[in-house]
Amino acid sequence: MKNYKYIFWDFDGTLVDTTKGTRESALFALKYFNIDVESTDNIETIFCGPPLRDSFKKFKLDKEQIDIAIKLYRKYQSENTIELSELYDGIREVLETLKKHGKKLIIVTAKLEQTAIKILEYLDIFKYFDLVVGVTENSSRIEKNEIISYALSCIDHMDISKAIMIGDRSSDIKAGIVNNMDTIGVLYGMDNKCVLENAGATFCVENSLEILDIVL
């Protein structure tokens, strides 16, 4: 295995299970437009990972409505759902081990940056990360490849050959590849092995502890 130094992490579905909060936030925003989503619908698969604008487009909202929906979603998520977030099994151990080995840990997420930080602090894992890059209220970076590219620009003396991207969606894998990274697809999140391999994942893991076998 390579000696990876920079470990880039997706947030939702990779580090933290935010499906409950995502569902509540999406339902709250959609209700404003009288869009009734059945409780059995797997709405979190639509909203966990992709840019919010793309997710709301699926409900035939126009641009102005999407802008309103995003604001409603983010406000509700930040104020009402932080405590619904849960770490995936083994993540804390993985982070502790990686830091002990001197790895640089970076989060790249399509979630509002300050909301991601609030969740990290609530779960007591913010201390493990060297950099957290997400979407800001007035950010021009929306797509995951743009978020990764910005994070790379923030790191002095970056050696891309020692970087790897970890995520649960095909968009994470494709964004890592666009930025010339090796990638790990985690199979406990949203996308399955076939989808992640078709996206070009260098590795796939069944659980978080297997990540250590690859990056150490």
Side-chain angles (χ1 to χ4, degrees):
M1 295 293 182
K2 290 184 182 179
N3 179 24
Y4 296 105
K5 179 179 179 181
Y6 306 96
I7 318 300
F8 286 71
W9 297 83
D10 171 50
F11 190 86
D12 302 281
T14 302
L15 284 168
V16 183
D17 183 350
T18 58
T19 52
K20 293 177 183 177
T22 296
R23 166 177 279 278
E24 286 198 6
S25 302
L27 292 175
F28 177 81
L30 292 170
K31 186 177 180 180
Y32 180 85
F33 297 100
N34 296 314
I35 298 174
D36 185 23
V37 181
E38 295 291 335
S39 60
T40 54
D41 288 349
N42 202 17
I43 194 170
E44 57 269 25
T45 62
I46 298 174
F47 284 88
C48 279
L52 286 177
R53 188 165 298 279
D54 292 347
S55 298
F56 281 115
K57 278 181 182 177
K58 295 180 183 297
F59 296 89
K60 296 182 169 44
L61 299 178
D62 62 31
K63 183 181 182 301
E64 184 178 343
Q65 290 173 322
I66 289 173
D67 289 340
I68 294 170
I70 289 173
K71 289 179 181 179
L72 290 170
Y73 177 102
R74 287 175 172 168
K75 187 174 190 298
Y76 187 89
Q77 185 178 63
S78 179
E79 295 178 357
N80 299 279
T81 72
I82 301 301
E83 295 181 2
L84 297 177
S85 305
E86 300 176 344
L87 282 180
Y88 285 106
D89 290 344
I91 286 295
R92 192 179 303 277
E93 179 181 344
V94 169
L95 297 177
E96 289 177 352
T97 301
L98 292 176
K99 291 309 291 184
K100 286 178 182 177
H101 283 79
K103 306 299 181 180
K104 300 294 184 183
L105 306 184
I106 302 102
I107 288 177
V108 283
T109 177
K111 184 181 290 299
L112 192 65
E113 192 172 288
Q114 286 305 312
T115 300
I117 291 172
K118 284 177 70 172
I119 295 172
L120 292 169
E121 290 175 336
Y122 168 71
L123 295 171
D124 193 30
I125 60 170
F126 181 65
K127 59 191 176 186
Y128 296 116
F129 293 94
D130 299 274
L131 179 65
V132 177
V133 176
V135 175
T136 59
E137 292 289 358
N138 301 311
S139 177
S140 60
R141 56 181 188 270
I142 297 174
E143 301 293 337
K144 182 58 70 77
N145 64 300
E146 297 169 335
I147 295 167
I148 293 177
S149 178
Y150 178 79
L152 288 169
S153 72
C154 295
I155 302 171
D156 293 333
H157 311 297
M158 179 70 203
D159 183 352
I160 198 67
S161 69
K162 294 184 177 180
I164 192 165
M165 173 67 197
I166 306 173
D168 71 308
R169 303 301 299 257
S170 61
S171 55
D172 299 318
I173 303 304
K174 292 175 181 177
I177 292 171
V178 167
N179 283 281
N180 301 307
M181 292 182 181
D182 286 347
T183 57
I184 299 175
V186 302
L187 303 181
Y188 51 82
M190 289 294 174
D191 286 343
N192 61 37
K193 186 175 184 179
C194 182
V195 171
L196 294 170
E197 287 183 339
N198 286 341
T202 314
F203 310 96
C204 286
V205 297
E206 295 282 352
N207 60 71
S208 63
L209 292 175
E210 292 178 12
I211 292 170
L212 298 177
D213 297 330
I214 296 170
V215 302
L216 293 182

